[in-house]
Amino acid sequence: MNIKELTIHFKEMKHYFIVVVLVFGFSFYLGWANSEQFKYFLDTQIKGLQSLSQSLSSKDHPQLWFFLVIFLNNALKSVLIVFLGLMFGILPLFMLVANGMILGYVLSMQTHESTLSIVLKGILPHGIIEIPVILLACAYGLKLGMLVWKSGMQLFIPTQLRTARGELSKILRLSKPLIVVIVSLLLLAAIIESTLTYWLVHL
């Protein structure tokens, strides 16, 4: 496991990082400005989150429950989305779009409190870590998906195919330190969300 090799590889991933940021930003805009067109899907996602939040709030030691659920949910999804990228990159793209739209939709719905206040109190403390980590996971998931596409398209070009397979093998090797980075940062984000964010939202 080599964290240094992974950080060096980040430079090779810059185009994927740019793509995921642009897709996330565009999806955020769709959820914010065109929420009516996606209302049924977004409302379904929001109701599920609200139901879970209410259930956890009613338990003894709700902050501990929030921490466990937030961490396990985010960590499992983020790690899985990297490897599910092997299915042609479809699921990482879906996760990217869905998360961006939901965030945009939630902020567009705020009526009783200013959007800035919601961002500063309910999103920024943990989101400054959580969102980039999700984007990182999606970027590597998309990379794996593109390598699978590339391998399939180059079946009849043996030299090119060896190159694609070699790159795919490298990404899979780097997945070990990548998982450590993802899980560690999401652990920190979950601690912040279940303490500082929880306290700010319930002021």
Side-chain angles (χ1 to χ4, degrees):
M1 185 176 68
N2 194 326
I3 298 293
K4 184 178 180 180
E5 187 180 358
L6 176 66
T7 56
I8 292 172
H9 189 259
F10 285 167
K11 295 178 182 178
E12 299 177 30
M13 289 288 293
K14 62 182 179 180
H15 295 106
Y16 285 89
F17 294 153
I18 292 171
V19 167
V20 295
V21 169
L22 291 175
V23 172
F24 185 80
F26 181 68
S27 302
F28 176 90
Y29 172 76
L30 287 179
W32 172 279
N34 300 281
S35 55
E36 289 301 319
Q37 298 180 32
F38 309 100
K39 186 174 176 58
Y40 177 77
F41 167 74
L42 295 171
D43 278 343
T44 301
Q45 301 302 311
I46 297 301
K47 286 177 182 177
L49 293 173
Q50 289 175 337
S51 176
L52 176 62
S53 177
Q54 290 171 359
S55 175
L56 295 177
S57 295
S58 65
K59 293 181 178 292
D60 294 331
H61 311 294
Q63 285 180 270
L64 177 60
W65 280 102
F66 270 103
F67 165 74
L68 290 173
V69 171
I70 290 167
F71 171 63
L72 292 175
N73 178 67
N74 288 341
L76 286 173
K77 283 184 177 179
S78 296
V79 170
L80 280 175
I81 213 65
V82 173
F83 296 104
L84 289 175
L86 289 167
M87 299 172 64
F88 305 102
I90 296 171
L91 292 176
L93 185 60
F94 175 79
M95 181 178 181
L96 197 59
V97 172
N99 277 276
M101 290 179 64
I102 290 170
L103 181 59
Y105 184 57
V106 167
L107 293 181
S108 73
M109 291 171 59
Q110 303 309 315
T111 54
H112 302 298
E113 197 168 358
S114 73
T115 300
L116 179 60
S117 177
I118 293 294
V119 170
L120 292 177
K121 290 166 54 177
I123 297 175
L124 186 62
H126 65 277
I128 198 170
I129 299 172
E130 185 178 300
I131 293 174
V133 173
I134 291 173
L135 296 182
L136 174 66
C138 288
Y140 271 90
L142 288 175
K143 176 68 173 180
L144 285 177
M146 288 303 296
L147 288 174
V148 171
W149 280 107
K150 189 176 179 181
S151 298
M153 294 171 65
Q154 295 176 346
L155 283 174
F156 303 104
I157 312 175
T159 304
Q160 295 290 337
L161 181 58
R162 284 197 296 272
T163 301
R165 286 179 173 175
E167 195 173 355
L168 182 60
S169 176
K170 180 180 180 180
I171 299 295
L172 291 174
R173 186 181 74 253
L174 289 174
S175 66
K176 294 179 181 179
L178 178 64
I179 289 171
V180 172
V181 170
I182 288 173
V183 172
S184 300
L185 290 176
L186 287 177
L187 175 62
L188 177 59
I191 292 171
I192 294 171
E193 187 170 0
S194 60
T195 54
L196 178 59
T197 302
Y198 184 90
W199 176 73
L200 290 173
V201 169
H202 290 82
L203 277 178

